[in-house]
Amino acid sequence: MEVKYTTQFLSKLEDIFSESDYMLRYEKGNFQSGYCLLRETHVAIVNKYYPLEGKVNSLIEILKQIELNTDKMTDKNKKMYLDIHKS
C-alpha cells in the first residue's frame, strides 16, 4: 500500500477509527513513540504537536498492532484497513 502524507490520507485513516471500537484522540504528552495505545479502554492517543507525516505514520503503526471488527466498516475503509494490516 502506498502511503501518502496528505491531510486527505490522514482523514481516511481517522475514518477507520471512527468506524471502529477505538477512540482516537490528539493530546499533548511525552510519548516516546509519538502515540500511546490503551488497549483495555480502546483509546489511541497521538501527539497533537506531531507534523502531518508523524501523525500518519503513528496511525499506520497503531492499525498494524490492533485487531478491529470490520463488520461495521464501509467497503472502502475495510479494504484500506486490511491493506495496512497485511503490510
Side-chain angles (χ1 to χ4, degrees):
M1 185 185 101
E2 181 184 345
V3 177
K4 301 174 187 169
Y5 296 106
T6 63
T7 54
Q8 293 83 8
F9 189 75
L10 179 63
S11 295
K12 290 177 183 180
L13 293 172
E14 292 170 344
D15 284 346
I16 293 174
F17 280 95
S18 68
E19 293 182 359
S20 72
D21 297 335
Y22 272 79
M23 179 189 304
L24 177 63
R25 295 180 9 201
Y26 291 102
E27 303 279 335
K28 66 179 182 174
N30 295 329
F31 313 118
Q32 291 182 355
S33 61
Y35 64 89
C36 177
L37 187 58
L38 306 172
R39 293 179 195 266
E40 291 80 29
T41 55
H42 294 259
V43 176
I45 305 169
V46 177
N47 188 342
K48 72 178 183 178
Y49 296 116
Y50 249 28
L52 178 65
E53 181 178 326
K55 289 177 183 176
V56 168
N57 288 335
S58 294
L59 293 182
I60 289 173
E61 284 299 313
I62 292 169
L63 288 172
K64 286 181 179 180
Q65 293 181 27
I66 59 176
E67 292 289 331
L68 298 178
N69 184 1
T70 58
D71 295 340
K72 302 176 198 173
M73 290 185 189
T74 62
D75 290 337
K76 187 194 258 184
N77 285 343
K78 185 187 299 187
K79 181 183 181 315
M80 186 172 179
Y81 168 70
L82 294 175
D83 286 348
I84 290 170
H85 211 263
K86 286 179 190 173
S87 61

